[in-house]
Amino acid sequence: VCFFDIESTNLNADFGFILCISWKFSDEKKAHVVSITDFPAFKKDCTNDYHVVKNAAEELSKADIWVTHYGTRFDVPMIQTRLLKHGLKPMPPVPHVDTWRIAKYRLKLHSNRLASVSQIFGLEDKTALNGPIWLRAMAGHRPSIKYVVEHCVQDVYVLEQAYEKIKCLSPDPPNMNLVDPVERGCPRCGEASLQA
């Protein structure tokens, strides 16, 4: 199961680019992240996200299941568009759980944002991002991009916690037996201890 999040300069792929992508597999303790500042191309063009999407897509494509928050409407289409824009192959279709959809249709909160989900359940806090940081990051300001990267990584940790809390409400959960066929158990949570 791969939890991931992206940070971009615009909500549309033809008017913006991806600053960073962070991901974490469920069997790992630490999240990974790639940012536009990680590659030499940044010095020549601070909007070049070719290596970001290429490297992240290779890792995300290894997942059996994706978990995102609003990823069906934003993160995945944004990555796919940027991949195709750079002449790269799109990611394959992967079963996808969107915690935003669970929050919208199965919870009753004032907002369906990840911050609202984390707040009501007392999970880790998301880091705040304000306008000036975004503007400087879009202009290629390294310290601002570094802050955005840290925000993205924290979002992945919060996402995993939120998923664990609300996955029981998912209307179409992935069959966990397909992920780990050796340890057969509950198809919803993967727990081996079953009762008749």
Side-chain angles (χ1 to χ4, degrees):
V1 179
C2 182
F3 304 90
F4 71 93
D5 184 48
I6 76 170
E7 300 299 339
S8 66
T9 60
N10 196 285
L11 296 177
N12 297 300
D14 52 345
F15 280 85
F17 56 94
I18 296 176
L19 290 167
C20 62
I21 302 175
S22 181
W23 68 92
K24 179 185 176 297
F25 286 95
S26 55
D27 61 347
E28 297 176 320
K29 291 196 184 295
K30 193 167 181 177
H32 308 270
V33 65
V34 288
S35 138
I36 55 170
T37 60
D38 295 340
F39 305 97
F42 178 76
K43 289 181 181 176
K44 187 175 180 182
D45 179 3
C46 67
T47 69
N48 187 346
D49 60 2
Y50 172 91
H51 296 287
V52 173
V53 294
K54 180 180 185 295
N55 283 268
E58 288 171 1
E59 294 303 313
L60 300 179
S61 296
K62 297 174 184 175
D64 295 306
I65 299 165
W66 287 335
V67 177
T68 63
H69 195 86
Y70 204 66
T72 53
R73 303 283 301 272
F74 175 66
D75 301 64
V76 174
M78 187 75 164
I79 295 171
Q80 299 287 46
T81 305
R82 298 303 296 174
L83 285 167
L84 291 173
K85 186 260 182 210
H86 289 300
L88 299 167
K89 290 182 180 178
M91 296 184 294
V94 172
H96 190 166
V97 177
D98 192 329
T99 55
W100 174 83
R101 289 186 179 278
I102 299 173
K104 181 172 175 64
Y105 297 110
R106 302 288 189 225
L107 299 176
K108 186 63 178 157
L109 303 173
H110 78 284
S111 166
N112 300 313
R113 297 173 62 90
L114 183 57
S116 300
V117 176
S118 73
Q119 185 177 32
I120 192 170
F121 296 120
L123 308 177
E124 285 185 33
D125 289 331
K126 287 170 50 77
T127 53
L129 275 179
N130 59 36
I133 291 174
W134 276 112
L135 291 172
R136 289 193 296 268
M138 286 189 284
H141 183 246
R142 282 182 181 268
S144 297
I145 294 171
K146 184 174 183 283
Y147 188 85
V148 170
V149 167
E150 291 167 359
H151 169 84
C152 188
V153 170
Q154 179 63 13
D155 275 2
V156 169
Y157 292 125
V158 174
L159 171 64
E160 183 175 20
Q161 293 172 27
Y163 171 72
E164 289 301 324
K165 194 74 177 173
I166 66 175
K167 69 181 180 182
C168 58
L169 298 176
S170 178
D172 53 353
N175 184 342
M176 297 308 291
N177 289 320
L178 298 176
V179 177
D180 189 1
V182 176
E183 286 290 326
R184 294 223 177 255
C186 173
R188 186 175 280 260
C189 69
E191 177 63 45
S193 175
L194 297 174
Q195 294 180 341

